[in-house]
Amino acid sequence: MGKIILCVGEEAKNPFVFQATGDRVSSIEELCHVLYQNAFEVQEELYTDEFTRFVGEELGLTSRAEYLRHLIDAHAGAKDVMVACFCSADYYDAQEINAFLQEYDAFYEKSPLEREKWKADRLWQGGREHEAKKLYQKILLSENLSELSDTVYGDLLHNIGVTKMRSGNISQAVEYFRDAYDHNSADETLKQYFIALTLSGNKERMEQELKVLAPRSEVTMQVAQEVYIARNAAEQSGEYQELEKLKKLHEDGKVAEYYQCADALLERLKEKYRKAAQ
């Protein structure tokens, strides 16, 4: 069930922008939401004069701004500053704030490398895939990989495998998923491994691994279903149809028309990539 939220303060004429995430906030409720969802990414920005000025002048919460300045001057932790913000509005109830505190404390019980993986996972879930990929690779090159448990290390390799799949590096994805499964023994990793193997076209290795790993029938059924859906979607795409046309032109020996269509397709794919990268 939903709940009624009583808005307090004023709506800012000049929103506060968190540089770490790009989030723009114009009310105390929006501020609470960003802090709750991105606590570890934005906490350093809470200690700036710009932030306390925003709370006092833009949101009209002068007494709360003074209290935040008092906390900061007393070298309070970011957790205390964020809870002070939560208590300035009706956006989160006591149970939700307690859940936040438990997750916050659990984060700092992790090893430094586990925290980095957690951050990378959050970046990935938030759609910031390029940043997540860079952080995953940085973690993989760390000299402190022994800090990670077998399961966490396996999950790290799994996530890198997903990034490889999405970038079209199927053969690399196969190896990452296989290594990941050796460490985390997760059904989801096993499923992704067989999907990658299927898409790679390596039937001999597929048959061998089906015997060695003996996946449950539920896993193989999910693999078959997802591969079917993916291939069906690909065959309906414009690029697939044009590639089939190119194949036919090449087989028919229509060289000039083949190169003309190939150049046109290449330009469209380049433009599509440029737009996706913006």
Side-chain angles (χ1 to χ4, degrees), residues 1 7 30 49 58 84 95 131 157 160 164 198 200 205 214 225 249 255 265 271 274 276:
M1 295 178 66
C7 296
E30 290 178 352
D49 291 336
E58 292 290 341
Q95 184 176 354
E131 296 171 71
L157 295 174
I160 295 176
K164 297 298 182 182
T198 302
S200 75
R205 181 171 176 179
Q225 183 179 23
L249 289 172
V255 179
L265 176 58
E271 181 62 24
R274 281 193 289 267

Side-chain angles (χ1 to χ4, degrees), residues 191 194 210 214-226:
K191 183 182 78 173
F194 281 118
L210 284 171
R216 294 182 297 105
S217 59
E218 294 93 331
V219 173
T220 55
M221 286 177 63
Q222 289 175 4
V223 169
Q225 183 179 23
E226 292 196 23

Side-chain angles (χ1 to χ4, degrees), residues 60-72:
L61 301 172
T62 53
S63 60
R64 182 54 51 176
E66 290 176 6
Y67 180 63
L68 291 174
R69 291 191 190 96
H70 168 73
L71 288 176
I72 293 169

Side-chain angles (χ1 to χ4, degrees), residues 15 23 41 54 60 64 70 75 84 87 92 102-103 108 117 134-135 148 155-156 170 203 227 245 248 251 260 265:
D23 288 302
E41 292 90 336
F54 169 77
R64 182 54 51 176
H70 168 73
H75 305 290
C87 293
Y92 293 111
Q102 289 176 13
E103 182 179 356
Y108 283 104
K117 180 189 175 293
K134 288 176 64 176
L135 189 49
L148 303 180
D155 292 345
L156 169 66
I170 306 299
K203 294 182 179 180
V227 169
K245 179 181 177 182
K248 186 68 168 58
E251 291 173 350
Q260 183 180 8
L265 176 58

Side-chain angles (χ1 to χ4, degrees), residues 168-183:
N169 295 320
I170 306 299
S171 60
Q172 291 183 28
V174 166
E175 303 308 328
Y176 275 108
F177 286 132
R178 184 63 179 90
D179 198 7
Y181 184 68
D182 281 342
H183 290 85

Side-chain angles (χ1 to χ4, degrees), residues 6 9 11 13 17 48 50 67 71-72 74 86 91 93 130 156 171 195 223 226 238 245 272:
L6 300 177
E11 184 171 353
K13 294 180 180 178
V17 181
T48 63
E50 182 185 2
Y67 180 63
L71 288 176
I72 293 169
F86 296 151
Y91 198 76
D93 59 27
H130 180 68
L156 169 66
S171 60
I195 288 175
V223 169
E226 292 196 23
K245 179 181 177 182
K272 184 177 181 181

